[in-house]
Amino acid sequence: MAGPFAFTLLCGLLSTTLAETALNPPAVFSLGREVIKERLTQELKDHNAIHILQQLPLLSSIREKPAGGIPILGNVVNSILNHIIWLKVTSANILQLQVEPSDEGQGLTVKIPLDMVAGLNTPLVKTIVEMHMETEVQAIIRVNTNERGHTHLVLADCSTSQGSLRISLLHKLSFLVNSLANTVMDFLVPALPKLVKIQLCPVLEAAFEDMHADLMNLLRVPISFSSDRLEFDPLSPAIKGNVIQLKLGAKFSDFQGNVTKWFNESAVSLTVPYLDTTPFSLTVRQDVVNAVVASLLPPDELVVLVDYVLPELARRLKSNIKTISEKAADQLGPTQMVKILTQETPELLLDQGSPKVAQLIVLEVFATNEARRPFFTLGIEASSEAQFYTKGDRLMLNLNEISSDRIHLMNSGIGLFNPEVLENITTEILISVLLPNENGKLRSGIPISIVKAWGFEAASCFLTKDALVVTPASS
């Protein structure tokens, strides 16, 4: 009997092994910087960021402390500013956003260049004095951990810098007007960054939160097929280089919402490919894909009157049975019947070269449709080449050919025989009967809603050694 020390050592080894085991999620959604940039740009438009920039209170901001607190100079400047009756942003543009890894390597830096023109009006001149203003807002997307230990994405450290600020006079007028404009531009140098930060940073944060919420909602949209629905649940985010990765849990539920199968993080392998120029990708673990295939191809029973449907195969089947038993072959009538049963769910074997669907099939041959006992029952280990492809925004699967890898004689009423003599004919029956039936069940495909929801026309897919990867199709 093992002593206390041995038991303690065993527990220690087990805990160390479990701690070192890398648990992989059922799926991973990877978000590239190009789509982050595009979605944030759209959200800023939806939040009327341009209108907010055009409403910046430039005049009131430079009148607060125009002379830096020096009383005599302040009075002089105030008298100058009193000649300004109007100071407003007349046009504003948000230039192309930039998303790149932050200096700390723990987040993504979002840079938003702003290009504005402000108009200045004074009784000294009839025309509007225009100033060109350029500045940049920066913020960091990072992963935060709350008090409960849950991680989530946030947009933080939103700010502007005077180093990115450029203000210049578009058109020079009289010496007096130019001097006044230069004074105003000097006051705008400290005032504009503060204004932009106060007015635009909350809009940027709200835009990011809406983009994030939109992504979460899209990922949670159930994928319906057959009698089941596949649902993903975001678990935790991570930032790697210039990519945001979201670990996803997965579950199957019926159309009443009852969960029928859970997929959690496990030691099952999952290789997440590097996201380069692709906007986003959804990597789904092999066991989840396998469960989808099993749901699309549930156990079934097919009955065929071979002589009516496949007369040539019926003739060849009779010829093959005759080599086993002439007496049995003579009993085959015009209603000879073949029954095919797929009693177990198929298994998907992923491979980058040739993925296969393996399944166990029971095949019975009856002399007539009224016969209660079959001549014989065969157990067939069959496999088909699995072809994944996309059609629009739908993921498709087609089974090409089918082979009888192993045949077992389960029982026989016509004497013992080597079932291999029936390999060719049984394979042809499966190709003619079972394969079209299964491909018919797969014909509708699986919709990938996020593809068209984000403005892409079609999806694309490829296989790794242990996962299926779906991405938008390149234009």
Side-chain angles (χ1 to χ4, degrees), residues 67-115:
I70 305 175
I72 297 177
L73 183 58
N75 292 333
V76 173
V77 171
N78 284 334
S79 64
I80 295 174
L81 294 180
N82 286 336
H83 288 88
I84 300 175
I85 59 175
W86 186 77
L87 177 60
K88 184 177 176 62
V89 175
T90 56
S91 68
N93 287 296
I94 296 177
L95 304 182
Q96 190 174 45
L97 274 66
Q98 299 176 26
V99 178
E100 56 193 36
S102 63
D103 294 336
E104 300 83 5
Q106 301 298 315
L108 293 174
T109 299
V110 180
K111 297 181 179 180
I112 306 175
L114 306 177
D115 186 273

mmCIF file of all heavy atoms in Angstrom, residues 67-115:
data_model
loop_
_atom_site.group_PDB
_atom_site.id
_atom_site.type_symbol
_atom_site.label_atom_id
_atom_site.label_comp_id
_atom_site.label_asym_id
_atom_site.label_seq_id
_atom_site.Cartn_x
_atom_site.Cartn_y
_atom_site.Cartn_z
ATOM 1 N N ALA A 67 -4.068 85.319 -21.903
ATOM 2 C CA ALA A 67 -2.705 85.834 -21.752
ATOM 3 C C ALA A 67 -1.926 85.093 -20.694
ATOM 4 O O ALA A 67 -0.955 85.609 -20.160
ATOM 5 C CB ALA A 67 -2.749 87.325 -21.423
ATOM 6 N N GLY A 68 -2.346 83.894 -20.364
ATOM 7 C CA GLY A 68 -1.602 83.094 -19.418
ATOM 8 C C GLY A 68 -1.576 83.668 -18.030
ATOM 9 O O GLY A 68 -0.656 83.412 -17.256
ATOM 10 N N GLY A 69 -2.548 84.484 -17.654
ATOM 11 C CA GLY A 69 -2.629 85.002 -16.286
ATOM 12 C C GLY A 69 -1.848 86.279 -16.050
ATOM 13 O O GLY A 69 -1.751 86.753 -14.917
ATOM 14 N N ILE A 70 -1.237 86.912 -17.076
ATOM 15 C CA ILE A 70 -0.507 88.179 -16.904
ATOM 16 C C ILE A 70 -1.496 89.323 -17.075
ATOM 17 O O ILE A 70 -2.020 89.535 -18.169
ATOM 18 C CB ILE A 70 0.633 88.295 -17.930
ATOM 19 C CG1 ILE A 70 1.555 87.061 -17.828
ATOM 20 C CG2 ILE A 70 1.415 89.580 -17.728
ATOM 21 C CD1 ILE A 70 2.640 87.025 -18.881
ATOM 22 N N PRO A 71 -1.773 90.114 -16.013
ATOM 23 C CA PRO A 71 -2.871 91.098 -16.040
ATOM 24 C C PRO A 71 -2.752 92.130 -17.154
ATOM 25 O O PRO A 71 -3.691 92.341 -17.910
ATOM 26 C CB PRO A 71 -2.795 91.745 -14.665
ATOM 27 C CG PRO A 71 -2.109 90.724 -13.800
ATOM 28 C CD PRO A 71 -1.139 90.050 -14.689
ATOM 29 N N ILE A 72 -1.602 92.802 -17.290
ATOM 30 C CA ILE A 72 -1.491 93.892 -18.275
ATOM 31 C C ILE A 72 -1.627 93.344 -19.687
ATOM 32 O O ILE A 72 -2.391 93.837 -20.508
ATOM 33 C CB ILE A 72 -0.133 94.624 -18.111
ATOM 34 C CG1 ILE A 72 -0.064 95.276 -16.731
ATOM 35 C CG2 ILE A 72 0.045 95.657 -19.211
ATOM 36 C CD1 ILE A 72 1.273 95.955 -16.463
ATOM 37 N N LEU A 73 -0.857 92.251 -19.940
ATOM 38 C CA LEU A 73 -0.932 91.631 -21.262
ATOM 39 C C LEU A 73 -2.325 91.103 -21.520
ATOM 40 O O LEU A 73 -2.854 91.180 -22.624
ATOM 41 C CB LEU A 73 0.107 90.510 -21.360
ATOM 42 C CG LEU A 73 0.220 89.801 -22.725
ATOM 43 C CD1 LEU A 73 0.540 90.802 -23.819
ATOM 44 C CD2 LEU A 73 1.271 88.702 -22.660
ATOM 45 N N GLY A 74 -2.983 90.552 -20.454
ATOM 46 C CA GLY A 74 -4.330 90.035 -20.599
ATOM 47 C C GLY A 74 -5.301 91.099 -21.042
ATOM 48 O O GLY A 74 -6.153 90.861 -21.891
ATOM 49 N N ASN A 75 -5.185 92.302 -20.500
ATOM 50 C CA ASN A 75 -6.089 93.377 -20.903
ATOM 51 C C ASN A 75 -5.900 93.753 -22.358
ATOM 52 O O ASN A 75 -6.863 94.018 -23.085
ATOM 53 C CB ASN A 75 -5.855 94.597 -20.009
ATOM 54 C CG ASN A 75 -6.302 94.337 -18.573
ATOM 55 O OD1 ASN A 75 -7.193 93.508 -18.352
ATOM 56 N ND2 ASN A 75 -5.679 95.023 -17.624
ATOM 57 N N VAL A 76 -4.622 93.769 -22.782
ATOM 58 C CA VAL A 76 -4.341 94.116 -24.188
ATOM 59 C C VAL A 76 -4.931 93.067 -25.119
ATOM 60 O O VAL A 76 -5.606 93.373 -26.099
ATOM 61 C CB VAL A 76 -2.816 94.241 -24.416
ATOM 62 C CG1 VAL A 76 -2.519 94.439 -25.905
ATOM 63 C CG2 VAL A 76 -2.253 95.390 -23.596
ATOM 64 N N VAL A 77 -4.688 91.797 -24.752
ATOM 65 C CA VAL A 77 -5.178 90.720 -25.609
ATOM 66 C C VAL A 77 -6.697 90.672 -25.616
ATOM 67 O O VAL A 77 -7.325 90.456 -26.646
ATOM 68 C CB VAL A 77 -4.601 89.366 -25.147
ATOM 69 C CG1 VAL A 77 -5.265 88.215 -25.874
ATOM 70 C CG2 VAL A 77 -3.103 89.330 -25.377
ATOM 71 N N ASN A 78 -7.311 90.878 -24.445
ATOM 72 C CA ASN A 78 -8.768 90.883 -24.383
ATOM 73 C C ASN A 78 -9.360 91.940 -25.290
ATOM 74 O O ASN A 78 -10.390 91.720 -25.937
ATOM 75 C CB ASN A 78 -9.239 91.097 -22.947
ATOM 76 C CG ASN A 78 -9.088 89.823 -22.117
ATOM 77 O OD1 ASN A 78 -9.106 88.730 -22.649
ATOM 78 N ND2 ASN A 78 -8.920 89.987 -20.812
ATOM 79 N N SER A 79 -8.710 93.100 -25.335
ATOM 80 C CA SER A 79 -9.216 94.164 -26.221
ATOM 81 C C SER A 79 -9.105 93.751 -27.681
ATOM 82 O O SER A 79 -9.947 94.097 -28.511
ATOM 83 C CB SER A 79 -8.448 95.468 -25.976
ATOM 84 O OG SER A 79 -7.075 95.310 -26.333
ATOM 85 N N ILE A 80 -8.019 92.973 -27.987
ATOM 86 C CA ILE A 80 -7.868 92.477 -29.364
ATOM 87 C C ILE A 80 -8.947 91.451 -29.679
ATOM 88 O O ILE A 80 -9.597 91.492 -30.724
ATOM 89 C CB ILE A 80 -6.463 91.866 -29.557
ATOM 90 C CG1 ILE A 80 -5.394 92.950 -29.412
ATOM 91 C CG2 ILE A 80 -6.364 91.183 -30.918
ATOM 92 C CD1 ILE A 80 -3.978 92.412 -29.450
ATOM 93 N N LEU A 81 -9.168 90.521 -28.721
ATOM 94 C CA LEU A 81 -10.155 89.472 -28.955
ATOM 95 C C LEU A 81 -11.575 90.006 -29.027
ATOM 96 O O LEU A 81 -12.448 89.367 -29.614
ATOM 97 C CB LEU A 81 -10.052 88.411 -27.850
ATOM 98 C CG LEU A 81 -8.757 87.586 -27.812
ATOM 99 C CD1 LEU A 81 -8.793 86.575 -26.678
ATOM 100 C CD2 LEU A 81 -8.530 86.875 -29.139
ATOM 101 N N ASN A 82 -11.799 91.170 -28.412
ATOM 102 C CA ASN A 82 -13.137 91.769 -28.495
ATOM 103 C C ASN A 82 -13.506 92.147 -29.919
ATOM 104 O O ASN A 82 -14.685 92.346 -30.228
ATOM 105 C CB ASN A 82 -13.230 92.992 -27.582
ATOM 106 C CG ASN A 82 -13.307 92.599 -26.115
ATOM 107 O OD1 ASN A 82 -13.733 91.487 -25.796
ATOM 108 N ND2 ASN A 82 -12.883 93.481 -25.228
ATOM 109 N N HIS A 83 -12.454 92.293 -30.783
ATOM 110 C CA HIS A 83 -12.731 92.616 -32.183
ATOM 111 C C HIS A 83 -13.182 91.387 -32.976
ATOM 112 O O HIS A 83 -13.612 91.519 -34.118
ATOM 113 C CB HIS A 83 -11.485 93.220 -32.852
ATOM 114 C CG HIS A 83 -11.180 94.610 -32.381
ATOM 115 N ND1 HIS A 83 -10.404 94.884 -31.290
ATOM 116 C CD2 HIS A 83 -11.588 95.823 -32.877
ATOM 117 C CE1 HIS A 83 -10.304 96.177 -31.113
ATOM 118 N NE2 HIS A 83 -11.024 96.781 -32.064
ATOM 119 N N ILE A 84 -13.053 90.201 -32.354
ATOM 120 C CA ILE A 84 -13.482 88.973 -33.045
ATOM 121 C C ILE A 84 -14.950 88.732 -32.714
ATOM 122 O O ILE A 84 -15.320 88.584 -31.556
ATOM 123 C CB ILE A 84 -12.635 87.759 -32.596
ATOM 124 C CG1 ILE A 84 -11.153 88.004 -32.908
ATOM 125 C CG2 ILE A 84 -13.122 86.485 -33.290
ATOM 126 C CD1 ILE A 84 -10.239 86.923 -32.383
ATOM 127 N N ILE A 85 -15.774 88.712 -33.709
ATOM 128 C CA ILE A 85 -17.201 88.504 -33.478
ATOM 129 C C ILE A 85 -17.646 87.076 -33.849
ATOM 130 O O ILE A 85 -18.764 86.676 -33.562
ATOM 131 C CB ILE A 85 -18.039 89.519 -34.289
ATOM 132 C CG1 ILE A 85 -17.734 89.386 -35.789
ATOM 133 C CG2 ILE A 85 -17.795 90.931 -33.796
ATOM 134 C CD1 ILE A 85 -18.600 90.270 -36.662
ATOM 135 N N TRP A 86 -16.731 86.350 -34.459
ATOM 136 C CA TRP A 86 -17.110 84.987 -34.905
ATOM 137 C C TRP A 86 -15.856 84.162 -35.124
ATOM 138 O O TRP A 86 -14.908 84.598 -35.773
ATOM 139 C CB TRP A 86 -17.906 85.107 -36.204
ATOM 140 C CG TRP A 86 -18.498 83.838 -36.738
ATOM 141 C CD1 TRP A 86 -19.606 83.194 -36.298
ATOM 142 C CD2 TRP A 86 -18.010 83.086 -37.860
ATOM 143 N NE1 TRP A 86 -19.843 82.084 -37.058
ATOM 144 C CE2 TRP A 86 -18.876 81.984 -38.028
ATOM 145 C CE3 TRP A 86 -16.922 83.235 -38.724
ATOM 146 C CZ2 TRP A 86 -18.689 81.048 -39.036
ATOM 147 C CZ3 TRP A 86 -16.732 82.296 -39.716
ATOM 148 C CH2 TRP A 86 -17.615 81.206 -39.864
ATOM 149 N N LEU A 87 -15.786 82.973 -34.530
ATOM 150 C CA LEU A 87 -14.668 82.043 -34.712
ATOM 151 C C LEU A 87 -15.245 80.637 -34.654
ATOM 152 O O LEU A 87 -15.734 80.203 -33.614
ATOM 153 C CB LEU A 87 -13.610 82.233 -33.618
ATOM 154 C CG LEU A 87 -12.411 81.269 -33.648
ATOM 155 C CD1 LEU A 87 -11.650 81.392 -34.961
ATOM 156 C CD2 LEU A 87 -11.470 81.526 -32.469
ATOM 157 N N LYS A 88 -15.204 79.958 -35.795
ATOM 158 C CA LYS A 88 -15.919 78.690 -35.897
ATOM 159 C C LYS A 88 -15.204 77.745 -36.863
ATOM 160 O O LYS A 88 -14.576 78.193 -37.825
ATOM 161 C CB LYS A 88 -17.355 78.959 -36.387
ATOM 162 C CG LYS A 88 -18.262 77.750 -36.450
ATOM 163 C CD LYS A 88 -19.655 78.154 -36.878
ATOM 164 C CE LYS A 88 -20.572 76.943 -37.038
ATOM 165 N NZ LYS A 88 -20.767 76.211 -35.795
ATOM 166 N N VAL A 89 -15.323 76.432 -36.590
ATOM 167 C CA VAL A 89 -14.826 75.419 -37.531
ATOM 168 C C VAL A 89 -15.787 75.355 -38.707
ATOM 169 O O VAL A 89 -16.972 75.052 -38.544
ATOM 170 C CB VAL A 89 -14.721 74.038 -36.853
ATOM 171 C CG1 VAL A 89 -14.312 72.971 -37.879
ATOM 172 C CG2 VAL A 89 -13.717 74.064 -35.705
ATOM 173 N N THR A 90 -15.295 75.670 -39.880
ATOM 174 C CA THR A 90 -16.158 75.699 -41.070
ATOM 175 C C THR A 90 -16.172 74.358 -41.813
ATOM 176 O O THR A 90 -17.132 74.047 -42.505
ATOM 177 C CB THR A 90 -15.700 76.802 -42.035
ATOM 178 O OG1 THR A 90 -14.310 76.595 -42.364
ATOM 179 C CG2 THR A 90 -15.856 78.171 -41.378
ATOM 180 N N SER A 91 -15.103 73.593 -41.683
ATOM 181 C CA SER A 91 -15.088 72.252 -42.285
ATOM 182 C C SER A 91 -14.171 71.349 -41.459
ATOM 183 O O SER A 91 -13.179 71.816 -40.883
ATOM 184 C CB SER A 91 -14.605 72.292 -43.743
ATOM 185 O OG SER A 91 -13.235 72.639 -43.809
ATOM 186 N N ALA A 92 -14.524 70.096 -41.411
ATOM 187 C CA ALA A 92 -13.746 69.132 -40.632
ATOM 188 C C ALA A 92 -13.742 67.791 -41.341
ATOM 189 O O ALA A 92 -14.754 67.390 -41.934
ATOM 190 C CB ALA A 92 -14.313 68.995 -39.225
ATOM 191 N N ASN A 93 -12.616 67.118 -41.279
ATOM 192 C CA ASN A 93 -12.494 65.782 -41.869
ATOM 193 C C ASN A 93 -11.705 64.885 -40.933
ATOM 194 O O ASN A 93 -10.741 65.332 -40.280
ATOM 195 C CB ASN A 93 -11.770 65.842 -43.220
ATOM 196 C CG ASN A 93 -12.642 66.427 -44.308
ATOM 197 O OD1 ASN A 93 -13.671 65.867 -44.667
ATOM 198 N ND2 ASN A 93 -12.239 67.574 -44.830
ATOM 199 N N ILE A 94 -12.141 63.629 -40.859
ATOM 200 C CA ILE A 94 -11.366 62.614 -40.154
ATOM 201 C C ILE A 94 -10.622 61.823 -41.221
ATOM 202 O O ILE A 94 -11.245 61.167 -42.064
ATOM 203 C CB ILE A 94 -12.280 61.698 -39.320
ATOM 204 C CG1 ILE A 94 -12.979 62.507 -38.226
ATOM 205 C CG2 ILE A 94 -11.485 60.553 -38.712
ATOM 206 C CD1 ILE A 94 -13.961 61.706 -37.400
ATOM 207 N N LEU A 95 -9.301 61.938 -41.207
ATOM 208 C CA LEU A 95 -8.493 61.261 -42.212
ATOM 209 C C LEU A 95 -8.386 59.772 -41.878
ATOM 210 O O LEU A 95 -8.960 59.303 -40.896
ATOM 211 C CB LEU A 95 -7.116 61.909 -42.292
ATOM 212 C CG LEU A 95 -7.128 63.429 -42.580
ATOM 213 C CD1 LEU A 95 -5.713 63.969 -42.681
ATOM 214 C CD2 LEU A 95 -7.912 63.744 -43.850
ATOM 215 N N GLN A 96 -7.657 59.046 -42.690
ATOM 216 C CA GLN A 96 -7.592 57.587 -42.536
ATOM 217 C C GLN A 96 -7.007 57.205 -41.184
ATOM 218 O O GLN A 96 -5.907 57.623 -40.818
ATOM 219 C CB GLN A 96 -6.762 56.981 -43.659
ATOM 220 C CG GLN A 96 -6.840 55.458 -43.704
ATOM 221 C CD GLN A 96 -6.134 54.899 -44.917
ATOM 222 O OE1 GLN A 96 -5.033 55.317 -45.252
ATOM 223 N NE2 GLN A 96 -6.764 53.939 -45.570
ATOM 224 N N LEU A 97 -7.765 56.384 -40.456
ATOM 225 C CA LEU A 97 -7.299 55.920 -39.165
ATOM 226 C C LEU A 97 -6.104 54.973 -39.328
ATOM 227 O O LEU A 97 -5.969 54.305 -40.354
ATOM 228 C CB LEU A 97 -8.414 55.172 -38.417
ATOM 229 C CG LEU A 97 -9.391 56.001 -37.581
ATOM 230 C CD1 LEU A 97 -10.236 56.912 -38.452
ATOM 231 C CD2 LEU A 97 -10.286 55.088 -36.755
ATOM 232 N N GLN A 98 -5.275 54.933 -38.301
ATOM 233 C CA GLN A 98 -4.155 53.999 -38.271
ATOM 234 C C GLN A 98 -4.273 53.145 -37.012
ATOM 235 O O GLN A 98 -4.545 53.663 -35.937
ATOM 236 C CB GLN A 98 -2.820 54.741 -38.267
ATOM 237 C CG GLN A 98 -2.591 55.607 -39.497
ATOM 238 C CD GLN A 98 -1.298 56.407 -39.399
ATOM 239 O OE1 GLN A 98 -0.368 56.013 -38.709
ATOM 240 N NE2 GLN A 98 -1.257 57.530 -40.085
ATOM 241 N N VAL A 99 -4.090 51.845 -37.175
ATOM 242 C CA VAL A 99 -4.101 50.914 -36.042
ATOM 243 C C VAL A 99 -2.804 50.124 -36.086
ATOM 244 O O VAL A 99 -2.498 49.489 -37.094
ATOM 245 C CB VAL A 99 -5.318 49.958 -36.097
ATOM 246 C CG1 VAL A 99 -5.280 48.978 -34.932
ATOM 247 C CG2 VAL A 99 -6.620 50.742 -36.090
ATOM 248 N N GLU A 100 -2.040 50.184 -35.002
ATOM 249 C CA GLU A 100 -0.741 49.508 -34.961
ATOM 250 C C GLU A 100 -0.434 49.081 -33.532
ATOM 251 O O GLU A 100 -1.022 49.606 -32.580
ATOM 252 C CB GLU A 100 0.348 50.433 -35.491
ATOM 253 C CG GLU A 100 0.429 51.756 -34.765
ATOM 254 C CD GLU A 100 1.293 52.784 -35.480
ATOM 255 O OE1 GLU A 100 1.289 52.808 -36.725
ATOM 256 O OE2 GLU A 100 1.956 53.555 -34.766
ATOM 257 N N PRO A 101 0.475 48.113 -33.354
ATOM 258 C CA PRO A 101 0.821 47.692 -31.990
ATOM 259 C C PRO A 101 1.349 48.849 -31.160
ATOM 260 O O PRO A 101 2.075 49.709 -31.672
ATOM 261 C CB PRO A 101 1.894 46.622 -32.220
ATOM 262 C CG PRO A 101 1.661 46.130 -33.606
ATOM 263 C CD PRO A 101 1.155 47.309 -34.378
ATOM 264 N N SER A 102 0.978 48.897 -29.898
ATOM 265 C CA SER A 102 1.452 49.957 -29.014
ATOM 266 C C SER A 102 2.910 49.731 -28.652
ATOM 267 O O SER A 102 3.447 48.632 -28.810
ATOM 268 C CB SER A 102 0.606 50.019 -27.746
ATOM 269 O OG SER A 102 0.733 48.809 -27.024
ATOM 270 N N ASP A 103 3.553 50.772 -28.127
ATOM 271 C CA ASP A 103 4.973 50.670 -27.773
ATOM 272 C C ASP A 103 5.209 49.617 -26.701
ATOM 273 O O ASP A 103 6.236 48.953 -26.677
ATOM 274 C CB ASP A 103 5.487 52.035 -27.290
ATOM 275 C CG ASP A 103 5.477 53.068 -28.407
ATOM 276 O OD1 ASP A 103 5.525 52.657 -29.577
ATOM 277 O OD2 ASP A 103 5.411 54.279 -28.104
ATOM 278 N N GLU A 104 4.221 49.460 -25.796
ATOM 279 C CA GLU A 104 4.389 48.474 -24.726
ATOM 280 C C GLU A 104 4.180 47.053 -25.213
ATOM 281 O O GLU A 104 4.517 46.090 -24.516
ATOM 282 C CB GLU A 104 3.404 48.758 -23.579
ATOM 283 C CG GLU A 104 3.552 50.128 -22.934
ATOM 284 C CD GLU A 104 2.827 51.220 -23.717
ATOM 285 O OE1 GLU A 104 2.147 50.868 -24.703
ATOM 286 O OE2 GLU A 104 2.944 52.395 -23.354
ATOM 287 N N GLY A 105 3.602 46.898 -26.392
ATOM 288 C CA GLY A 105 3.341 45.573 -26.925
ATOM 289 C C GLY A 105 2.174 44.866 -26.278
ATOM 290 O O GLY A 105 1.934 43.692 -26.519
ATOM 291 N N GLN A 106 1.403 45.579 -25.451
ATOM 292 C CA GLN A 106 0.279 44.977 -24.748
ATOM 293 C C GLN A 106 -1.068 45.467 -25.275
ATOM 294 O O GLN A 106 -2.093 45.216 -24.668
ATOM 295 C CB GLN A 106 0.377 45.282 -23.246
ATOM 296 C CG GLN A 106 1.646 44.768 -22.593
ATOM 297 C CD GLN A 106 1.764 43.263 -22.667
ATOM 298 O OE1 GLN A 106 0.804 42.543 -22.414
ATOM 299 N NE2 GLN A 106 2.944 42.772 -23.015
ATOM 300 N N GLY A 107 -1.058 46.190 -26.368
ATOM 301 C CA GLY A 107 -2.302 46.728 -26.896
ATOM 302 C C GLY A 107 -2.141 47.212 -28.318
ATOM 303 O O GLY A 107 -1.103 47.003 -28.963
ATOM 304 N N LEU A 108 -3.160 47.870 -28.806
ATOM 305 C CA LEU A 108 -3.148 48.452 -30.144
ATOM 306 C C LEU A 108 -3.361 49.956 -30.034
ATOM 307 O O LEU A 108 -4.275 50.412 -29.339
ATOM 308 C CB LEU A 108 -4.258 47.843 -31.007
ATOM 309 C CG LEU A 108 -4.113 46.358 -31.371
ATOM 310 C CD1 LEU A 108 -5.372 45.886 -32.092
ATOM 311 C CD2 LEU A 108 -2.899 46.136 -32.257
ATOM 312 N N THR A 109 -2.524 50.711 -30.711
ATOM 313 C CA THR A 109 -2.667 52.162 -30.737
ATOM 314 C C THR A 109 -3.557 52.559 -31.908
ATOM 315 O O THR A 109 -3.310 52.152 -33.043
ATOM 316 C CB THR A 109 -1.293 52.847 -30.879
ATOM 317 O OG1 THR A 109 -0.476 52.496 -29.766
ATOM 318 C CG2 THR A 109 -1.452 54.356 -30.920
ATOM 319 N N VAL A 110 -4.583 53.343 -31.605
ATOM 320 C CA VAL A 110 -5.476 53.869 -32.640
ATOM 321 C C VAL A 110 -5.168 55.341 -32.811
ATOM 322 O O VAL A 110 -5.263 56.123 -31.859
ATOM 323 C CB VAL A 110 -6.961 53.688 -32.255
ATOM 324 C CG1 VAL A 110 -7.865 54.241 -33.351
ATOM 325 C CG2 VAL A 110 -7.268 52.224 -32.000
ATOM 326 N N LYS A 111 -4.774 55.734 -34.012
ATOM 327 C CA LYS A 111 -4.466 57.130 -34.312
ATOM 328 C C LYS A 111 -5.530 57.690 -35.253
ATOM 329 O O LYS A 111 -5.814 57.087 -36.294
ATOM 330 C CB LYS A 111 -3.085 57.252 -34.952
ATOM 331 C CG LYS A 111 -1.947 56.800 -34.035
ATOM 332 C CD LYS A 111 -0.592 56.960 -34.723
ATOM 333 C CE LYS A 111 0.552 56.543 -33.796
ATOM 334 N NZ LYS A 111 1.878 56.697 -34.450
ATOM 335 N N ILE A 112 -6.085 58.845 -34.869
ATOM 336 C CA ILE A 112 -7.149 59.465 -35.662
ATOM 337 C C ILE A 112 -6.703 60.856 -36.080
ATOM 338 O O ILE A 112 -6.789 61.819 -35.303
ATOM 339 C CB ILE A 112 -8.459 59.548 -34.856
ATOM 340 C CG1 ILE A 112 -8.826 58.160 -34.329
ATOM 341 C CG2 ILE A 112 -9.593 60.114 -35.698
ATOM 342 C CD1 ILE A 112 -10.027 58.155 -33.424
ATOM 343 N N PRO A 113 -6.189 61.028 -37.301
ATOM 344 C CA PRO A 113 -5.773 62.351 -37.769
ATOM 345 C C PRO A 113 -6.997 63.221 -38.094
ATOM 346 O O PRO A 113 -7.956 62.750 -38.722
ATOM 347 C CB PRO A 113 -4.963 62.053 -39.026
ATOM 348 C CG PRO A 113 -4.749 60.567 -39.037
ATOM 349 C CD PRO A 113 -5.890 59.979 -38.283
ATOM 350 N N LEU A 114 -6.961 64.471 -37.672
ATOM 351 C CA LEU A 114 -8.054 65.413 -37.917
ATOM 352 C C LEU A 114 -7.561 66.556 -38.788
ATOM 353 O O LEU A 114 -6.458 67.080 -38.581
ATOM 354 C CB LEU A 114 -8.591 65.961 -36.589
ATOM 355 C CG LEU A 114 -9.018 64.946 -35.537
ATOM 356 C CD1 LEU A 114 -9.457 65.656 -34.263
ATOM 357 C CD2 LEU A 114 -10.137 64.067 -36.062
ATOM 358 N N ASP A 115 -8.368 66.934 -39.746
ATOM 359 C CA ASP A 115 -8.054 68.050 -40.641
ATOM 360 C C ASP A 115 -9.232 69.013 -40.614
ATOM 361 O O ASP A 115 -10.350 68.648 -41.007
ATOM 362 C CB ASP A 115 -7.804 67.527 -42.058
ATOM 363 C CG ASP A 115 -7.335 68.620 -42.996
ATOM 364 O OD1 ASP A 115 -8.203 69.301 -43.576
ATOM 365 O OD2 ASP A 115 -6.124 68.785 -43.131
#
